[in-house]
Amino acid sequence: MALDKERYATQVAENITPLLSPTYSYVSLLAKEGAMKKAVLPLIVLLAFTAYTAFAMSQAEQSLIDFGIELMSDLDTAQVVIDLYILAALACIWMYQDNKSRKKPFIAIVPYIAITAVFVSIGPLLYLVVKGFSKEQGAGAT
């Protein structure tokens, strides 16, 4: 009888000790919430801007290429387009370096770079959303 109480007390202590540890589930819970919070804003912006882009393209009277050529024909609008593509290049460099630091293959970011080349901000936004939700799944597994 005394052995059973001792064994029970040991089992309770073993089960409670991790719960009392400051790094136990609180860290994974905070990591989940942090990843979710990081993904929510880019997701909202991505959905809103993608919907707006799709609507604008459906109403456009010219192709995307013709529109780009027209924008590049004037100095003032060409400056804005060049500025956007400089930012797009910087975003691609950031995605590449982030992907490399996460030890993922280059092919993993090719779709994001291709989307960035055409739609500029949609590629990095999509990358942030996918990255945010993949961190959430990783945090839940540990």
Side-chain angles (χ1 to χ4, degrees), residues 7 17 23 27 32 38 41 49 54 65 69 72 74 76 86 92 97 121-122:
R7 188 178 316 151
T17 302
T23 60
V27 172
K32 272 188 204 178
K38 286 182 182 178
L41 182 59
F49 187 67
I65 292 173
I69 291 169
M72 293 301 288
D74 293 326
D76 54 345
I86 289 170
C92 288
Q97 290 176 342
S121 61
I122 293 176

Side-chain angles (χ1 to χ4, degrees), residues 5-27:
K5 286 182 183 179
E6 217 174 282
R7 188 178 316 151
Y8 177 74
T10 303
Q11 287 176 346
V12 169
E14 288 173 354
N15 291 330
I16 289 178
T17 302
L19 295 173
L20 298 176
S21 170
T23 60
Y24 181 60
S25 64
Y26 307 112
V27 172

Side-chain angles (χ1 to χ4, degrees), residues 82-96 116 120 124:
I82 292 167
D83 190 40
L84 284 174
Y85 275 94
I86 289 170
L87 284 172
L90 293 172
C92 288
I93 291 167
W94 169 77
M95 288 187 290
Y96 170 76
T116 302
V120 185

